[in-house]
Each structure stands twice: as structure tokens, then as C-alpha cells.
Amino acid sequence: MKLRLGLRIGLILVVTLLGLAYMLPSFPSVRDSALGSMLPEKQINLGLDLKGGIHLTLEADVDTALTNQLAQFGNEIRDIARDEKIALLRPSTRPGQRLAFTLLRADQQGEMDALLSKSFRNLVVQNRARTADDRVEYLLAFTPEYRDYLAEMTVEQAVTTIRNRIDQFGVAEPDIRKQSGGRIQVQLPGLDEPERAIAIIGQTAHLEFRLVDDNVDIERASGGMLPPGRELMTMRVTNPDGSFLERPVVVHSEAALTGEYIVDAGTAFDTWNQPYVSMTFDTRGARLFERITGENVGRKLAIVLDGSVYSAPVIQDRIAGGRAQITGSFTVNQAHDLALVLRAGALPAPVTVLEQRTVGPSLGQESIDAGVNAALIGFGLVVVFMVVYYGMAGVIANVVLMLNIVLIMAGLAAFGATLTLPGIAGIILTIGMAVDANVLIFERIREDLRNGLTPRAAIDEGYQRATMTILDANITTVIAALVLYEFGTGPVRGFAVTLTLGILASMFTAIFVSRVLFDVMTERRNAPAKLSI
């Protein structure tokens, strides 16, 4: 029996030391001391309502994403038709997310229909009309099922891309979740550069490499007279004195290469210490880039990001190795942010900020102070009541209550959970529940003592009778907390986390630890003949 008691005491000591090891680094004075260097680096993360930060509600432009996908289908139809020797005019999108193209020979209508039926089952022919010059005009649209699927995937991809960008931005414990209607909620605790974060989140980062057509007269192009397949864009040029000017440039409408092949991007500096963005393509992208540069030596290749030309260098030679760079009038932060969004990938659609709220750190500190004061007052009242009402047993209850709080804080740090204001409320609630468990046990022991049992027998009987009642009540509460965590958002999930950790800790301390303390007290040689309870 002594050996079993020793093992239980050893287990409690190990758990207590682990709890202190994970809890103490959350205190700055310990974290910055010599002791802190020997403890785990994990600490409690504070939520938006405690640490301050920004709350954003974004809306993804799903219609634009659908239109882009429709244009991509148009390019694929053109390429496959070309391989099948089917003559058609270049497909183009129409309002209402429809795709139109003209079949040049009506006698190929059967082949065209077979091609669409075989390779483009997600498109449906809305209209097919023969013209007077023996052509056939097609009007296509997404099937309703595929349109809903694309809309859902667009928001999902936007959430993933935003999460990747924020992770690289270095924000701890961001809360990013999809909402109904194509909306996305973003909460960034502890962020002190909200405008920079919003710019990074909202940048579409659609990168294209387009060949420049220097044969087009700029004045005629500015007047709207552009050859088919050409587009007039603006390039920002930096003067030697640091000023800027915008220069028109005519580029091919079709991109020679896009940013989807980028696997890495970073900031570098040229010989004049001017920052630029270097990129590395994957194997396929490197092969395409080498072919494009090899076939167009002596021509300009415009680097277009989100519709703006950043630079248009002349291709001097075939570029192998899959590396390219974007130069421009960047500051170091701008080059760093651009590399960040290129690494994280492009958004599938532009996003707009519908709501932006900033929570100041001072408000968060006030919330922390108020929550801690409430917890201390509640803890103090409980300690006094338990000692006055239960005597020595009340002291045992208070000891296990303190261990309970240590384990909750350690659990928050160890599992990387976020402490929010409702989370503090959850801790206060579990203090009451932990005491309630001890009260149930103590009252059973009192009853058995009144029935004439010895202290040793009364303790055994009291714990045996009360344990199942405590387990039943706490398990149902844990189930409720898990439901809250699964379906709740932000602070509600923080409440669920602390409630769950608190209940698990209270079951360990109230049932196991307090029982060991009673055993230690009653198994001594000079054990008291009566229990102070």
C-alpha cells in the first residue's frame, strides 16, 4: 500500500512540475530570467480581445473568379479545336458569365458538339445559331452544379491563400474562417501594422509575363486603335532623381507565362543596393520560361502584376535555370511583401474589406486586469469559505484548487490555445466546478462519519460514492464544451477550450490528488483519530 501511495505521490509531483514548467514562461519576469532559458518556449497566446489587433470581414469577388475560369475554358476550347482542325474565332466572355465563340464552318458543327460533350461536360450550350454567312455562333455557360462548386472552391482557396500569407507575415494565432455569402472573417491578435497586413491580404498577386509589341504606334493605341490580341497598359518608370513617370506600353493580351509555376520568391539587392524580387519556377515553369526567352531574344518581356506593368526588360539571351526577377521602384518592405504574396500564391479572386475594426492593446489590458481581479476575488472567497466550513479538508481543497489553475494555464500554453476574455470566464467557472466536486466528496464523508464509520473507511466510502456523480456531471459538460468548440467562433471557442481543460484538470485534482492527500494524512503513525471536515 505504501508503495502504491508513493507512486501516486510521484505522479502528482511529475504533473505539478510539468504544469509549472509550461505555465511559468507565460510570465515575462520568469521568461526573461535564467530560469526561463531552461523552460519550454511555449507560452499562453492572448486573443484579439486581450492582446489587441484587427478584425476584418472580407468578401471574395466570386463572379470575377467564375469569369476568369470561363475565359480559361475558352482558351482550352480554342487549343483543342485547333488540334482537331476545327476552325473557330477566339472565344470571349459575355456578361452573365457566358462564353461565346463563332464556328467558321457550319459543316463542322457535329465535330464541335462532340468536342464540347466529351471534354467540357461542365459547360452547357445555351444557344446555337447559324448565321447568314454559314457560320455557327455558340453561347455557353456553366452547369448550375459546377457553378456552385466553383463558387465554394473559390472561397476555400481564398481562405487558404490568406492563411498562407498571414503565416508568412508572422502573426501568432490568427483566426481565419469562411462565412456564408462568400465572406471571410480574419482576426489578427497583436498586430500593430494593420494597413500593411490589409494590403498583403487583399493583393490578388496575379503575375503574368507578356511579350511587348513595339510595332504598334503608341499614339494610335492611346486613341483606342489596337490590333487584335493587343492591350494598352501603363508601366511605372523611376527616374534617376527618384521621381516617377507612367509610360504606355502595348503588350500581347495573352500571357506567355503566369505566376502559377512559382515555387519560391524572395528579396534581393542589385549593385546599386536597390531591392528587387527574385523568383524561382518549378520544373515545368522553368522549361516554359527557357523556351519563351529562347524564342524571343531581342524582344521586351513585360512583367505584369495585377494589371500593372512593373518592368519590361529586353531579353538578351535564352534564360535557363528557372529564375527571374521583378525590378521596380520598391522599398525594402514593398519588395518583401511582394515576395511574400508571390510565395503564398495568388488569390483566386479579388477580395474587398467590408468591415475593419481595431482593438487597442490598452482596452485588452483593461480586460485582462478586470478578468484577473474577478478571478482573484472569486478564488479568495472560495478559499476562505472552504477553510471556515471544512477545516483541514478545506485546506486540502484549496491546495488542489491552486494545482487545478496551474494545470489549466499549463494546458493553454502546451497546446498552443488562445486565452480570450470568455476564456477567463471559463477559468472562473471551472474554479466553482472544482470546488463543487470537493464539496460532494466531503459531504459524503461527513455522512459516513455520522453513521459511525472510521475516518479511513469514511474516506474510502465517500470517494467511492461521489466519484461516479462527479464523472457523470463533468463528462456531460465536456461534451457541451466540445460542441461549442466545433460550432463556435473566436472567443466562444476560447471559452470552450478553457472549460474543457478546467474540467479535465479538476477531475484529476479533486478526485485523485485530494484522495492522495487524505491518504497521506490518515496513514501516518500519528494519524488523527477524527477528521477535520
Side-chain angles (χ1 to χ4, degrees):
M1 183 66 184
K2 287 184 178 179
L3 181 61
R4 291 180 58 190
L5 180 60
L7 285 175
R8 286 186 288 164
I9 293 174
L11 175 62
I12 294 170
L13 289 175
V14 170
V15 172
T16 303
L17 290 175
L18 282 175
L20 290 172
Y22 277 97
M23 183 193 74
L24 290 177
S26 297
F27 297 94
S29 56
V30 177
R31 187 169 61 246
D32 300 333
S33 66
L35 176 62
S37 61
M38 296 184 289
L39 297 176
E41 293 182 355
K42 291 186 174 181
Q43 54 183 299
I44 298 174
N45 297 309
L46 300 181
L48 184 70
D49 51 356
L50 297 180
K51 194 173 185 179
I54 61 173
H55 169 102
L56 301 172
T57 301
L58 310 174
E59 184 176 47
D61 188 351
V62 176
D63 288 341
T64 297
L66 296 178
T67 301
N68 292 340
Q69 181 59 49
L70 206 54
Q72 180 63 34
F73 273 142
N75 292 334
E76 294 177 13
I77 290 173
R78 179 202 58 192
D79 294 341
I80 297 177
R82 183 188 300 159
D83 294 340
E84 299 290 334
K85 310 298 183 188
I86 300 175
L88 56 81
L89 292 179
R90 181 184 181 81
S92 59
T93 57
R94 294 286 187 273
Q97 288 154 14
R98 292 181 295 177
L99 180 70
F101 64 86
T102 301
L103 186 66
L104 296 178
R105 291 170 48 192
D107 62 336
Q108 291 186 318
Q109 180 179 329
E111 297 174 58
M112 189 72 236
D113 290 344
L115 185 154
L116 292 175
S117 176
K118 177 184 176 184
S119 304
F120 297 93
R121 296 180 180 177
N122 295 321
L123 296 177
V124 60
V125 179
Q126 284 193 332
N127 190 31
R128 185 190 300 108
R130 179 172 294 197
T131 63
D133 54 355
D134 201 29
R135 296 182 176 185
V136 181
E137 293 181 344
Y138 280 80
L139 193 62
L140 310 179
F142 290 123
T143 61
E145 298 79 13
Y146 190 65
R147 187 186 186 286
D148 293 341
Y149 169 77
L150 272 182
E152 183 76 13
M153 291 305 297
T154 297
V155 180
E156 291 278 1
Q157 188 180 345
V159 169
T160 302
T161 303
I162 290 172
R163 187 182 301 280
N164 290 339
R165 293 182 181 182
I166 290 174
D167 287 345
Q168 296 195 29
F169 194 63
V171 178
E173 291 299 315
D175 184 13
I176 307 161
R177 62 186 64 250
K178 183 178 66 174
Q179 296 183 318
S180 60
R183 296 187 176 185
I184 302 167
Q185 174 188 286
V186 180
Q187 291 188 339
L188 307 176
L191 194 67
D192 53 3
E193 297 178 285
E195 298 304 326
R196 186 181 172 198
I198 293 171
I200 290 175
I201 292 171
Q203 185 169 3
T204 306
H206 182 60
L207 181 67
E208 297 173 306
F209 293 84
R210 299 196 198 186
L211 289 168
V212 176
D213 191 344
D214 285 327
N215 296 322
V216 178
D217 184 81
I218 293 296
E219 291 187 4
R220 290 169 62 86
S222 301
M225 300 182 66
L226 279 167
R230 301 294 184 271
E231 188 175 342
L232 180 66
M233 306 189 83
T234 301
M235 180 170 65
R236 197 179 190 194
V237 180
T238 307
N239 294 318
D241 60 357
S243 60
F244 303 101
L245 62 88
E246 292 186 341
R247 180 182 299 168
V249 57
V250 176
V251 299
H252 287 245
S253 301
E254 186 175 346
L257 186 67
T258 64
E260 64 181 306
Y261 303 106
I262 293 175
V263 293
D264 192 19
T267 306
F269 296 86
D270 59 19
T271 52
W272 292 277
N273 207 31
Q274 179 68 28
Y276 66 88
V277 178
S278 65
M279 300 169 289
T280 304
F281 296 109
D282 60 14
T283 304
R284 187 183 175 194
R287 196 163 49 243
L288 288 172
F289 194 63
E290 182 178 359
R291 180 179 61 78
I292 293 165
T293 54
E295 293 175 351
N296 297 280
V297 173
R299 298 185 63 182
K300 292 178 182 175
L301 185 64
I303 301 172
V304 184
L305 182 69
D306 293 340
S308 298
V309 179
Y310 272 66
S311 57
V314 177
I315 301 172
Q316 303 291 348
D317 199 355
R318 178 189 298 272
I319 302 176
R323 295 186 64 84
Q325 62 187 47
I326 303 176
T327 57
S329 52
F330 296 123
T331 64
V332 175
N333 274 347
Q334 287 171 335
H336 174 76
D337 293 348
L338 178 56
L340 185 154
V341 298
L342 290 175
R343 280 197 306 271
L347 285 171
V351 296
T352 54
V353 179
L354 298 181
E355 180 190 7
Q356 175 186 346
R357 286 189 283 114
T358 302
V359 180
S362 59
L363 179 60
Q365 188 59 48
E366 291 176 5
S367 301
I368 294 174
D369 294 341
V372 170
N373 288 337
L376 289 176
I377 293 172
F379 182 80
L381 291 175
V382 168
V383 166
V384 172
F385 171 80
M386 293 300 288
V387 171
V388 171
Y389 196 71
Y390 289 108
M392 189 60 195
V395 175
I396 292 176
N398 292 333
V399 170
V400 298
L401 190 58
M402 286 188 283
L403 178 59
N404 188 20
I405 295 174
V406 169
L407 294 182
I408 294 174
M409 306 301 284
L412 288 172
F415 294 114
T418 301
L419 180 62
T420 61
L421 192 57
I424 294 178
I427 294 175
I428 297 172
L429 177 61
T430 55
I431 289 175
M433 295 179 68
V435 172
D436 185 55
N438 283 122
V439 168
L440 277 173
I441 296 170
F442 294 169
E443 290 301 321
R444 297 291 186 276
I445 294 174
R446 276 182 166 182
E447 288 178 10
D448 291 326
L449 289 173
R450 285 195 292 268
N451 291 333
L453 295 182
T454 64
R456 180 71 256 169
I459 291 171
D460 291 340
E461 189 66 21
Y463 272 92
Q464 186 176 354
R465 291 168 57 196
T467 298
M468 289 308 299
T469 304
I470 296 169
L471 289 177
D472 287 344
N474 285 339
I475 288 174
T476 54
T477 308
V478 167
I479 293 173
L482 293 177
V483 173
L484 276 179
Y485 183 84
E486 179 64 26
F487 297 101
T489 60
V492 176
R493 299 185 85 184
F495 173 78
V497 169
T498 54
L499 185 60
T500 304
L501 287 173
I503 291 172
L504 295 177
S506 73
M507 284 195 287
F508 173 74
T509 56
I511 297 174
F512 183 78
V513 178
S514 65
R515 173 64 187 270
V516 171
L517 293 178
F518 272 114
D519 287 345
V520 170
M521 189 170 63
T522 56
E523 290 192 2
R524 293 178 303 176
R525 289 183 178 177
N526 56 348
K530 292 178 63 178
L531 274 180
S532 173
I533 188 169

